[in-house]
Amino acid sequence: MSYAQDVLAKLKEKNANEPEFIQAATEVLTTLEPVFEKHPEFEKASLLERIVEPERQVMFRVPWVDDNGKVQVNRGFRVQFNSAIGPYKGGLRLHPSVNLGIIKFLGFEQIFKNSLTTLPIGGGKGGSDFDPKGKSDREVMAFCQSFMTELYRHIGADTDVPAGDIGTGAREIGYMFGQYKRITNQYEGVLTGKGLTWGGSLTRTEATGYGLVYFANEMLKDLNTDFNGKTVVVSGSGNVAIYATQKVQQLGGKVVALSDSNGYIYDEEGIDLAAVKEIKEVKRGRIKEYLEYRPNAKYTEGKGVWTIKCDIALPCATQNELLIDDAKALVANGCILVAEGANMPTSLDATKYLQENGVYFAPGKAANAGGVATSALEMSQNSQRLSWTFEEVDEKLHNIMISIYKAAYAAAEEYGKEFDGKKDLVSGANIAGFMKVADAMMAQGVC
Ligand code: NDP
């Protein structure tokens, strides 16, 4: 048994009740096997055993009072996975599905993603099983204040800098920042995704979606084509999906579908993004309300967004939302490119099927790294007490996405990883992200 497989077997035994973490680790460790053949010193240093074990994880009670005066209790998490190349950095997810295994999978992926950004940030992730949907603003504030009342002691501008994720947008970051400041009496860049008048960065809202499309555009160049005239299906209708749609439209592509956890809309004339923004960003409504703006569009309850014929698919909702049958439908419909905006939206077998059937595939840890990269740019601006223009940040983001693509491509090339003449960017991203962290860990001794 290879070193990576041996570590994986022990990991599965130890973390049997964390399937998402095991799924993420399986993908990474399997693709790293050739690296360990080339670098036996990593095995002697037990680098893998160390990298799969979080440096620290905290789990805590979050009590808050609802609008009926009843005390509610949620569970809070922060997993500080790896600080070899910088302070822990990663979002806070607020969704009823959150548990330790989900946060560990996200934190683990974050290590390699953050390394790929070329910026000095370690990997972490956090959140709670609190569901902001259907709660009043006051209830959300009560939760966020209670959450931060424990979290504040574990984070700091040079220690751990959380950000948004599913369910955590500008409103939640605002309430948490206010509470942090109140408890610590420090005005510091301890959270990213802040409002523009109080330390936020221009382009942060757009960054993950824009970055995803910049990345996909580099892939299209290698296929000797571009977005112009392409039909695109995007899943989700949150932050990542909305700004991916916007950038695709700017580049001449036509997005025909978006979804949420209830169902999906299909608009063959192309999505009216102003309507989606009003529904999702202003009214916090459901995607089916799109029919009130565009009565000719179609709404279908349930999953199935991947059965729509498209050239390019951008999964931007959540983990394991693109499964083997979805991959088969995409291939049968002539899809040429899949780039992940969400974290681990594609199951392992679906990824393999897409790659083996000629689809050029980009893993989320490379393709959606624009969000955390821009968060790191927000940290830089906070440290300098400066604000850069939209154009400056957008240009930096664009260049970072090109560098990530080049790094993943080059690592895939170095290790001869490809499918049908297309680079295996899953292996490439894992190897490139890992090598930088591995070098730092080797240099820092046993810790
Ligand atoms: P949002 O909360 O803004 O939007 C999430 C979207 O996905 C919503 O449309 C939501 O629908 C849908 N969704 C969430 N959970 C499920 C589920 N279990 N089943 C079906 N649909 C679901 O989140 P973001 O757009 O910020 O995040 C989307 C993905 O991108 C996540 O995987 C996140 O980790 C990843 N990501 C986000 C970054 C960022 O900067 N925001 C950075 C890098 C990655 P509904 O409203 O019905 O729940």
Side-chain angles (χ1 to χ4, degrees):
M1 199 188 280
S2 72
Y3 171 46
Q5 291 304 328
D6 182 45
V7 173
L8 198 53
K10 288 183 185 130
L11 186 86
K12 284 180 182 166
E13 215 176 285
K14 238 179 168 174
N15 303 276
N17 56 350
E18 295 172 354
E20 292 85 2
F21 176 48
I22 290 171
Q23 183 181 339
T26 301
E27 184 214 275
V28 173
L29 268 56
T30 307
T31 55
L32 290 179
E33 280 185 315
V35 175
F36 289 98
E37 281 163 26
K38 204 166 165 181
H39 294 277
E41 71 276 16
F42 289 164
E43 181 172 352
K44 184 154 185 262
S46 295
L47 215 63
L48 269 190
E49 289 89 332
R50 284 195 270 156
I51 218 163
V52 296
E53 195 64 38
E55 288 174 14
R56 183 178 303 107
Q57 58 192 37
V58 285
M59 230 163 97
F60 49 95
R61 180 170 72 204
V62 189
W64 55 279
V65 181
D66 71 16
D67 285 348
N68 298 320
K70 169 106 175 61
V71 176
Q72 301 287 340
V73 181
N74 286 100
R75 184 172 280 181
F77 302 89
R78 187 72 185 165
V79 174
Q80 299 179 329
F81 230 113
N82 193 296
S83 62
I85 61 168
Y88 311 105
K89 176 108 202 79
L92 296 170
R93 176 171 294 191
L94 300 182
H95 193 272
S97 63
V98 164
N99 57 43
L100 185 60
I102 299 258
I103 299 297
K104 278 176 70 180
F105 117 64
L106 290 163
F108 184 67
E109 295 256 296
Q110 199 82 43
I111 304 170
F112 309 102
K113 179 190 305 192
N114 292 3
S115 163
L116 281 168
T117 64
T118 69
L119 302 167
I121 37 180
K125 196 83 186 186
S128 171
D129 57 3
F130 173 77
D131 187 359
K133 253 190 256 142
K135 304 284 191 305
S136 69
D137 278 352
R138 195 211 60 80
E139 288 177 320
V140 171
M141 181 172 74
F143 167 82
C144 289
Q145 290 181 337
S146 179
F147 183 77
M148 187 51 83
T149 300
E150 172 58 33
L151 187 68
Y152 89 95
R153 67 187 86 243
H154 308 289
I155 62 177
D158 294 313
T159 310
D160 183 355
V161 184
D165 190 66
I166 290 179
T168 307
R171 174 181 62 170
E172 291 75 16
I173 292 289
Y175 294 146
M176 289 184 200
F177 184 76
Q179 186 71 353
Y180 180 87
K181 185 163 60 72
R182 195 173 172 206
I183 297 173
T184 61
N185 200 26
Q186 298 275 338
Y187 203 108
E188 58 175 19
V190 67
L191 291 165
T192 56
K194 299 187 290 299
L196 292 177
T197 54
W198 43 280
S201 173
L202 284 160
T203 325
R204 176 59 190 95
T205 306
E206 295 83 356
T208 308
Y210 276 24
L212 169 69
V213 177
Y214 291 146
F215 192 96
N217 203 34
E218 293 305 301
M219 298 167 74
L220 287 171
K221 279 188 201 162
D222 273 331
L223 300 177
N224 295 315
T225 184
D226 55 32
F227 269 101
N228 207 16
K230 296 281 186 305
T231 300
V232 183
V233 166
V234 179
S235 66
S237 47
N239 173 264
V240 182
I242 286 176
Y243 292 96
T245 300
Q246 184 161 303
K247 187 50 79 179
V248 168
Q249 291 178 341
Q250 286 172 7
L251 297 181
K254 184 162 86 166
V255 176
V256 294
L258 285 171
S259 66
D260 63 18
S261 51
N262 295 105
Y264 63 94
I265 47 161
Y266 172 67
D267 188 342
E268 66 174 347
E269 286 164 27
I271 293 289
D272 173 355
L273 197 58
V276 176
K277 283 188 178 183
E278 191 171 308
I279 297 163
K280 289 290 172 182
E281 295 184 340
V282 182
K283 297 202 277 185
R284 296 179 188 272
R286 309 308 302 158
I287 200 67
K288 70 173 170 218
E289 291 165 37
Y290 185 79
L291 299 191
E292 293 164 20
Y293 298 78
R294 300 275 283 225
N296 291 336
K298 289 193 182 75
Y299 173 72
T300 310
E301 198 74 28
K303 298 184 195 295
V305 72
W306 308 120
T307 58
I308 297 169
K309 187 172 167 55
C310 64
D311 303 306
I312 296 167
L314 304 176
C316 296
T318 192
Q319 66 274 358
N320 291 326
E321 52 154 321
L322 198 166
L323 307 178
I324 184 70
D325 288 342
D326 304 314
K328 287 181 180 167
L330 286 169
V331 169
N333 281 329
C335 176
I336 60 166
L337 187 149
V338 173
E340 296 184 324
N343 287 312
M344 207 170 74
T346 317
S347 62
L348 292 173
D349 54 350
T351 303
K352 192 160 174 273
Y353 186 87
L354 291 169
Q355 289 181 313
E356 287 177 353
N357 286 278
V359 176
Y360 200 13
F361 181 87
K365 66 170 80 64
N368 73 27
V372 71
T374 308
S375 282
L377 299 177
E378 182 174 332
M379 289 164 71
S380 300
Q381 293 169 81
N382 291 164
S383 300
Q384 295 178 56
R385 305 270 194 269
L386 283 176
S387 298
W388 300 332
T389 63
F390 186 95
E391 289 71 25
E392 272 176 284
V393 183
D394 191 34
E395 193 190 337
K396 286 186 189 355
L397 166 67
H398 197 163
N399 288 333
I400 288 168
M401 296 317 296
I402 294 173
S403 317
I404 297 173
Y405 179 70
K406 284 189 177 152
Y409 188 99
E413 188 150 58
E414 184 186 344
Y415 284 87
K417 296 281 185 182
E418 61 176 46
F419 290 94
D420 193 22
K422 295 182 193 73
K423 293 288 173 261
D424 171 7
L425 299 177
V426 175
S427 295
N430 287 339
I431 294 168
F434 172 79
M435 284 308 294
K436 190 170 150 193
V437 178
D439 284 346
M441 288 176 74
M442 292 298 280
Q444 291 169 20
V446 180
C447 61

